[in-house]
Structures are given as structure tokens and as C-alpha cells.
Amino acid sequence: MQFGLCALVLEEESQIAMELSISSSECLLEVSQVGQAARITASRDIPAGKVVLELAAAAGVTSTEDAAKHQEIGSLAEGRDELIGLTLWLLAEQHQAEHSSAAEAVLATLPAHTSSPMLWASGERREMLRGSPALEEAEQLESDVRGEWASISSAAESASNPLTGYANEQKFVEAFSVVLAHAHYLTSAQCFALLPLIPLLQRSTDPDAAVLDYDLDRNVVVVTTQRSYRQGEEVRLAFQGTTAQQLVQLGALEPDPFAGSRELTFSLVKSDRMFQGKVQILADMGMQPEETFPVYEDRMPAQLLPYLRLSRIQEADDFAKINMKDDRMVSDINEYEILQLLAGEARTLLGRYAGNAEEDLKKLQNPRMPEQERLATRLLMAEKKALEGTLATARKRLAPIRGLAPVKGGKLKNVNSDLMDIFDTIESIPNKPGELIGEFMSWARGEKDPTWKKRK
């Protein structure tokens, strides 16, 4: 099943509208323009495991085949990261007046830049992304890319390469943001590639979204569904990462409010007498002494609570109760400790943000909000919702054992037990006179003296 690009319509303001349609009953995708973004939907019901798009491998651009062999920037790309090589290729091709057909097809669907925070002014970025891990990631990424440009521009000037005549640091950073957002790693081919048409597919953190890979047998790049789609439903490509990583790497966020995530990092206690044993158990499970877990407003990874339970076990016999696939308590004291730990971490991270998710939602109702501020607010709202949902889950699970607190000996005691003893004593007072008479009559009958009847 081969899909072709049948229509390419250039509208006003250079907006591109594309329609994937061929004279075949096997056409499974439709492309329409919604505002400035393309929306690719299922033209009919599609089952899981169906190839919905194929592209000839020759249509793609890779660093090893295209950047390294490029007449102008090949020597500069040599030995550098694949994404940097593709960035140099993009800058060179954008400058040239004539392109190969493959390059033309790739360039046609690539934007001039993205809205990644790595392109935002430093002061505004720090203000708008306060509390989010996206701030540190964007700052580090920008610093690294600018460092690459310093090295490349120095090499270009030494070799009298024309690159510095039409490119500068800012253009390089902008071009890198495009490559970072639209270059896909093809697992089977073990390389990154820029591909025509694929940039029109929006991305999703849904693990069941469609996947892109290289078919070695047929030498084609394929998009395959992982779940079924109804006619008219949008088809998106899977993105593996958090909401913060999505904004930094793609310069965009998906609209689903429940898709927002925030990472929580936990680790074993090194002073724990069982530390080495726990490290070995985790290694057997493919996990590390320190692990990072993405949490969502309505869910968390299945491995999170089992990992925390293992990390806080104090009795060797309890190791047998750990199962990374089952949500099963080890003990009341263990569950109490790990839920307090989870709630405390969520509460600490929430404290780093300004305001709450409800306040962010009110801000987003302003239609005049600038694009960068809107993206930042949506990100912060999504992350806060993920943390608030995690905190609510921890509290809900704590409810059955909320009246318990740890005491000496590693056990739990009801925090109100002393008061309950007092009230039990008070409530028993009205019965004391009757109990006293009963005790006297029992004595008088000799019931308290086993030998009384014998003496009589």
C-alpha cells in the first residue's frame, strides 16, 4: 500500500494545506488545515496494527547520507551529533536556490522555527517557567547548541567555508529547534531522519499512539497504528517524554488536559542496612537505585508504588511480598511510610510553582495572551494537575490508615488510642455499682474460694 501526495495548495501567508488522497479504496488518511496546523484523521475505521502511511526510504534525509556528503557543509558535519549534522544540512539547503526533489519535499513541510522555550528570551523564560523542569532543560539545551555553533563557526572560518556568510548563531539555534522537533529516530535503521509529510502528524504522549519506523525488508518508512481508530478521529505519532520535554523538544503541547505529566524522582537510602540487597533486586528487574517516574492527574506508573515499598522495607521476610506488576501492600507501616513520602514529594514540587491550576485556567481565558505565555501557562497547569492528582491519590490511599502512626518496634498505633481508653473508662462508670454488688454476692457464695464447699 503506497500513499502519495496528490495535492499541494499554497494559500495566503504561505500556509500549506495538504490532502493525502489517491484513487484507491485503501486510502486511510485525510489531511485538512485547522487554523495554522494540519490535522490528519482516519478516512474510515482503522484497526490496530495497520500500516497507514508509507514513504520510500530515499525520500528521507539523514546525517550520514545527506549531511556528511553535502558539498558545502559535509566537512563541518563530520564527527558531530546527528541532529547537529541535520541542522547544518537544513541551513545549507534553505540558503540554496535549487534543491533535489527529496530535499524539496522535506523542506516543504518544515517550519522556519518552533516555539521551543530554548528560543525564548532568558528573563521571560525564567519568569514564565518557574517551578517547571522545562526551565533547566531549555537553558541547558540552548547553552549546548550555542556552544556547538561557536565550534562550527570557528571551523568554518578556518576553512573559508561559506556557511558563516549566510548563517549566524541565532539562525543556527532556530534551525536546530526545527530539527529537534521533526527529526525522528528510526529504531530499525538506528539513525535520525527528516522525512516529508511526517511533520504534519501531530505528536501525543499517549503510549498507544501510532509509531514510525523503518521496514528493512521493503526499504520504506512506515506509520503503524497501535490501537483502532474511528472514522474522523485524529491520528497522532507517539512521543516518549514528559509534558516539559514535549514543549522543549517540540515547541508544542497536546490539547488533552489529562495528558500532562510531571516526573518524580525517588531513590534507595544508602545508609539502609539492606541497601546492597535492594540494589540487586532492582537490577534483576531492570531498575536502578534511583528512578524517575512520570505521574499524571489520573494515573501513575504501575512500578512506582512497588518501587517505593521495596525502598522502605525493613524486614527481610517482606522481600517476598514485592511484585512490580501487582499493587499489593507489604504492611501497614510500610504503606503508611511510602504514601507519606509520595505525598510529601508532590507537595514539595507544588510549592515551587506560583499559584494553582485553577488560577492558570482563568489566565488562559484571556484571548490576548501572547503565544509564549499561553504555552508556558498550559505547561504549568498540566504539571500542577499531575501533582495535585498524585497528592489526592496518596491521601485517598492513606484514608484507611490515616488514624495510625508509627511507634517503637516498627508497628502502627491508633493516634487516638489514649483518648479512646479514657472514653471507654468514662462510659463504663454507670455499670460499676452493679458490677460491685455482683462481685460481693459471688464472694458470699464462695465462688471466689475453690475450697469453700469442701470445708463446709
Side-chain angles (χ1 to χ4, degrees), residues 117 120 125 128-135 138 242-248 252-254 257 260-262 353 357 360 364 372-386:
W120 300 0
R125 181 170 58 203
M128 291 189 291
L129 295 179
R130 174 187 167 188
S132 173
L135 174 58
T242 63
T243 310
Q245 291 166 344
Q246 190 176 38
L247 180 58
V248 173
L253 294 172
E254 56 191 307
S261 62
R262 181 65 155 85
Y353 295 92
D360 292 333
L364 290 171
Q372 291 182 0
E373 185 179 353
R374 182 172 296 278
L375 280 171
T377 304
R378 286 179 58 201
L379 169 67
L380 299 186
M381 182 179 72
E383 292 179 338
K384 292 173 189 176
K385 281 181 173 290

Side-chain angles (χ1 to χ4, degrees), residues 213-366:
D213 203 359
Y214 174 64
D215 188 323
L216 291 167
D217 295 330
R218 295 186 296 147
N219 195 31
V220 293
V221 176
V222 296
V223 175
T224 309
T225 60
Q226 295 193 99
R227 65 173 178 84
S228 60
Y229 288 82
R230 300 299 300 271
Q231 182 178 359
E233 186 178 358
E234 185 172 11
V235 178
R236 289 176 172 243
L237 278 179
F239 174 82
Q240 296 182 347
T242 63
T243 310
Q245 291 166 344
Q246 190 176 38
L247 180 58
V248 173
Q249 295 179 29
L250 306 182
L253 294 172
E254 56 191 307
D256 183 2
F258 293 103
S261 62
R262 181 65 155 85
E263 287 185 331
L264 302 183
T265 300
F266 297 100
S267 62
L268 300 181
V269 179
K270 291 187 177 180
S271 59
D272 186 347
R273 59 187 176 86
M274 298 182 177
F275 178 77
Q276 291 301 330
K278 293 178 181 180
V279 169
Q280 184 59 52
I281 292 174
L282 288 175
D284 293 340
M285 297 178 178
M287 304 182 76
Q288 302 295 323
E290 181 176 280
E291 284 287 340
T292 298
F293 301 90
V295 294
Y296 302 80
E297 181 181 6
D298 59 345
R299 63 193 186 281
M300 64 180 67
Q303 299 87 353
L304 173 54
L305 292 180
Y307 175 90
L308 290 177
R309 290 170 184 138
L310 174 65
S311 72
R312 295 304 186 268
I313 279 179
Q314 294 302 315
E315 300 294 334
D317 292 342
D318 288 337
F319 284 129
K321 301 177 183 178
I322 293 294
N323 189 322
M324 287 297 174
K325 296 181 180 180
D326 293 337
D327 185 9
R328 189 169 54 189
M329 287 177 52
V330 170
S331 65
D332 286 340
I333 183 65
N334 180 273
E335 198 73 3
Y336 179 89
E337 184 176 1
I338 66 108
L339 290 176
Q340 290 284 13
L341 182 64
L342 179 62
E345 182 66 13
R347 196 180 296 112
T348 297
L349 293 178
L350 278 170
R352 297 177 182 177
Y353 295 92
N356 55 42
E358 291 300 322
E359 293 172 346
D360 292 333
L361 182 60
K362 292 180 181 179
K363 292 179 182 178
L364 290 171
Q365 295 174 358
N366 179 9

Side-chain angles (χ1 to χ4, degrees), residues 384-398:
K384 292 173 189 176
K385 281 181 173 290
L387 292 172
E388 289 169 357
T390 301
L391 182 58
T393 298
R395 287 172 173 169
K396 182 178 179 180
R397 285 174 170 266
L398 273 168

Side-chain angles (χ1 to χ4, degrees), residues 80-135:
R80 299 186 185 275
D81 183 85
E82 285 186 70
L83 297 181
I84 296 298
L86 288 173
T87 301
L88 291 170
W89 176 90
L90 181 58
L91 284 170
E93 288 295 323
Q94 287 175 334
H95 174 69
Q96 292 180 359
E98 297 182 0
H99 312 283
S100 65
S101 58
E104 188 70 42
V106 170
L107 294 173
T109 49
L110 290 178
H113 59 80
T114 69
S115 297
S116 170
M118 66 177 291
L119 300 176
W120 300 0
S122 178
E124 294 178 352
R125 181 170 58 203
R126 291 179 183 176
E127 178 65 26
M128 291 189 291
L129 295 179
R130 174 187 167 188
S132 173
L135 174 58

Side-chain angles (χ1 to χ4, degrees), residues 25-39:
S25 59
E26 286 296 310
C27 184
L28 300 178
L29 300 179
E30 294 178 343
V31 181
S32 59
Q33 186 107 0
V34 181
Q36 296 184 356
R39 186 170 183 267

